[in-house]
């Protein structure tokens, strides 16, 4: 019996020890995680009266700024009609000077505690009408306005930061331009405030592209927010990459890495990336594309030798994109190119929908693309075969070449090799197809054109079509 009791006491003791040891570890880890948080949750943010000439503008800016600050759920917001705030502003004459003397700061913190006062002033409000520049254009209204916003620490009396914004917006109607400008100004004020008081935390877990941070809904985190991870080296922040929030819990959030797959690790510091990153991606490429056509039936022997059968053409293409380049599976791009061959040339407009597959994160990926294309092909005046006096007289008036347009499409794949954060090389393999160009036109002047729609045999190439496989390579830069 005594042995059974002894064993029972032994197991209970061991279990209790392990439980409390584990509990202490959990609390220790949680406390350590919380120590790396900076959320301004217990800070008081007081918004003083906005300065400016027009009462309705001051009211608009104040109401909209206040409402959006409250919706951030990061501060204890004190409004201007609060009696304590009015007493502070009158006693320290802050509404006139926007300054806090170091000697009065301790008294001020007694009223507001640990917090900040925000002083906002708008100026340069101007609306004017921009007259039409041509008979085919329309006039519009343009509204410009500026603001200055100061953040004052109530404990030290120091101005943390002072940020100025200049906004200019246009609208078909006067009020439309004004509304756009004031709304954009509030947007900038909110972004500035979020940057000054960005929330900070740490990466607690990482699994592939997914990670977890110690910030949640109680800290003001919302889905689709962007954070960047960084390493603090003696006060110098070294950015490692960035990620977007996919789901939000009460005290934690889960995100997906957009850049920095290899660099971002557990225990890295993170902070809100207020303006995010939407890089402009520019690529320059070369393609050798397939062309099919029919030559004129009236070509003589010498002309038959001169105008070779259409087969291949060279295309140089400049492509731009505002979509994220890496990790996002879908994207879009637009390109403008110049096509050249021995006796014809043209412009190419490409639009592509892109699906990206990362083979090696941040290093190698495949892009599958599909989209429409527009081809504007051109033949020189030398390709015109008319010989009678009337034809030659008409040709003398032509200022350029003979042009024709065609609609088409492109489907292909790009293999991308990335170097660093902003440079990559790629090879592409595509199939292009377009309708045939049969209607050739030439410009005589602004109001007159000559059409060979019913007499295309007068051109060396009576018909041209983009069709076949194309292949090429290029370089791309994001910035």
């Amino acid at each position: 019996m005594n042995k059974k009791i002894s064993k029972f006491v032994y197991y209970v003791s061991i279990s209790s020890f392990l439980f409390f040891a584990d509990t202490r570890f959990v609390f220790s880890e949680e406390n350590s995680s919380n120590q790396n948080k900076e959320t301004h949750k217990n800070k008081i943010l007081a918004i003083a009266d906005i300065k400016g000439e027009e009462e309705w503008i001051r009211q608009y800016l104040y109401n909209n700024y206040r409402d959006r600050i409250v919706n951030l759920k990061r501060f204890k917001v004190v409004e201007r009609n609060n009696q304590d705030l009015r007493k502070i502003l009158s006693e320290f004459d802050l509404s006139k000077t926007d300054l806090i003397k170091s000697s009065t700061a301790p008294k001020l913190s007694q009223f507001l505690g640990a917090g900040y006062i925000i002083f906002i002033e708008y100026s340069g409000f101007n609306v004017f009408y921009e007259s039409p520049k041509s008979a085919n254009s329309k006039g519009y209204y343009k509204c410009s306005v500026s603001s200055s916003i100061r953040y004052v620490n109530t404990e030290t009396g120091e101005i943390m930061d002072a940020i100025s914004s200049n906004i200019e917006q246009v609208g078909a109607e006067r009020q439309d331009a004004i509304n756009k400008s004031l709304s954009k100004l509030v947007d900038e004020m909110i972004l500035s405030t979020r940057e000054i008081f960005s929330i900070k935390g740490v990466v607690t877990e990482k699994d592939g592209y997914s990670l977890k941070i110690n910030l949640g809904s109680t800290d003001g985190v919302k889905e689709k927010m962007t954070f960047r991870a960084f390493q603090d080296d003696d006060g110098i922040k070294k950015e490692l990459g960035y990620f977007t929030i996919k789901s939000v819990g009460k005290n934690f959030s889960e995100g997906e890495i957009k850049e920095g797959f290899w660099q971002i690790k557990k225990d890295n510091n993170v902070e809100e990336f207020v303006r995010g990153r939407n890089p402009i991606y520019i690529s320059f490429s070369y393609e050798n594309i397939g062309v099919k056509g029919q030559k004129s039936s009236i070509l003589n022997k010498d002309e038959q030798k001169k105008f070779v059968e259409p087969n291949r053409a060279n295309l140089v293409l400049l492509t731009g994109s505002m979509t994220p380049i890496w990790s996002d599976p879908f994207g879009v791009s637009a390109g403008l190119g110049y096509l050249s061959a021995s006796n014809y040339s043209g412009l190419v407009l490409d639009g592509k929908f892109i699906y990206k597959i990362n083979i090696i994160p941040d290093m190698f990926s495949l892009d599958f693309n599909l989209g429409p294309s527009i081809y504007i092909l051109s033949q020189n005046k030398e390709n015109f075969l008319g010989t009678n006096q009337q034809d030659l007289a008409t040709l003398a008036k032509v200022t350029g070449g003979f042009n024709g347009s065609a609609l088409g499409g492109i489907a292909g794949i790009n293999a991308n090799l990335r170097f660093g954060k902003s440079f990559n090389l790629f090879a592409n393999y595509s199939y292009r197809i377009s309708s045939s160009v049969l209607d050739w036109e030439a410009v005589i002047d602004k109001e007159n054109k000559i059409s060979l729609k019913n007499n295309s045999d007068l051109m060396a190439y009576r018909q041209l079509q983009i069709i076949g496989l194309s292949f090429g390579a290029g370089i791309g830069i994001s910035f």
Side-chain angles (χ1 to χ4, degrees), residues 226-270:
T226 303
F227 283 78
R228 56 183 165 191
F230 64 92
Q231 183 177 325
D232 197 338
D233 294 334
D234 296 327
I236 300 176
K237 289 182 180 179
K238 179 183 178 182
E239 186 176 323
L240 304 173
Y242 69 98
F243 57 93
T244 56
I245 300 299
K246 295 298 181 182
S247 62
V248 181
K250 185 178 180 180
N251 297 307
F252 70 90
S253 300
E254 295 180 343
E256 180 182 12
I257 296 174
K258 299 299 180 184
E259 187 177 275
F261 178 88
W262 303 104
Q263 291 80 14
I264 298 177
K265 295 179 174 59
K266 181 183 176 182
D267 296 328
N268 283 150
N269 295 318
V270 301

Side-chain angles (χ1 to χ4, degrees), residues 260-315:
F261 178 88
W262 303 104
Q263 291 80 14
I264 298 177
K265 295 179 174 59
K266 181 183 176 182
D267 296 328
N268 283 150
N269 295 318
V270 301
E271 68 179 356
E272 183 185 7
F273 199 5
V274 175
R275 298 181 189 269
R277 174 169 291 155
N278 192 18
I280 299 174
Y281 179 75
I282 302 294
S283 66
F284 182 79
S285 61
Y286 163 82
E287 281 185 52
N288 184 263
I289 67 176
V291 183
K292 181 181 177 182
Q294 292 182 2
K295 293 193 290 185
S296 172
S297 61
I298 62 175
L299 289 173
N300 58 39
K301 290 184 179 180
D302 292 335
E303 290 171 335
Q304 286 283 355
K305 293 179 181 179
K306 177 181 177 182
F307 298 106
V308 298
E309 197 71 33
N311 184 20
R312 309 294 297 179
N314 299 309
L315 173 65

